[in-house]
Amino acid sequence: MVAVDGNRVLKVSVKGSQDGGWGLTQSFIKNADYHGAVDKWLSRHSNKTIFCLVQFKETSIETLPRIYLATPQEIADWLKKAAAGRGDTILYEKHVWSARGYAAGTTDVIPESWKFTEKRLKEIARKTEQVASPYSR
């Protein structure tokens, strides 16, 4: 999808989920190198791309899903910090690591600031405009 405002053009990648997470980097993982998988995933995205993450988990048909906006760099940074710094291939809305998990006793939650609001939309548009140049992908 593309969003246009005057001369500004943003690529919008919409990802939906019904299970609480968005699998983003699984196809890039080799030898349990989570950070490397994230770097490969990030290299495939333009500075003029934003992600619209839509979460339907525990949402009734009569209500709107939860929606978040993030840049590829913000997502990459989050994925690298997930699982107590080991990294992850799934961007979870909220994940409590069980006693058997690598990050036992920790909880990963995407930033509250990513929630779709008019303020967030303007902020993310400004961010992508600042990093984008005529030579951007």
Side-chain angles (χ1 to χ4, degrees), residues 107-124:
T107 302
D108 292 330
V109 181
I110 61 173
E112 182 80 14
S113 63
W114 290 9
K115 281 189 177 178
F116 190 113
T117 63
E118 185 175 346
K119 178 182 174 187
R120 177 62 176 164
L121 185 57
K122 288 179 180 176
E123 173 189 323
I124 209 161

Side-chain angles (χ1 to χ4, degrees), residues 13-106:
S13 180
V14 180
K15 304 289 185 192
S17 171
Q18 295 179 345
D19 66 3
W22 298 270
L24 300 173
T25 67
Q26 295 96 319
S27 63
F28 299 102
I29 193 145
K30 302 274 190 279
N31 302 316
D33 181 4
Y34 293 91
H35 289 226
V38 170
D39 289 339
K40 286 178 188 169
W41 173 84
L42 181 60
S43 74
R44 298 186 59 146
H45 295 287
S46 162
N47 291 332
K48 287 190 167 192
T49 300
I50 61 171
F51 280 80
C52 179
L53 306 160
V54 184
Q55 187 53 253
F56 292 94
K57 184 179 182 180
E58 299 172 355
T59 302
S60 71
I61 195 74
E62 304 87 29
T63 60
L64 290 173
R66 294 175 303 284
I67 304 172
Y68 305 91
L69 297 175
T71 66
Q73 185 64 59
E74 289 171 329
I75 291 171
D77 292 344
W78 188 95
L79 286 170
K80 287 181 176 184
K81 291 176 188 170
R86 177 205 66 191
D88 207 339
T89 62
I90 299 171
L91 175 68
Y92 291 106
E93 185 178 34
K94 179 179 182 181
H95 185 76
V96 179
W97 291 92
S98 70
R100 294 184 304 177
Y102 175 86
T106 64

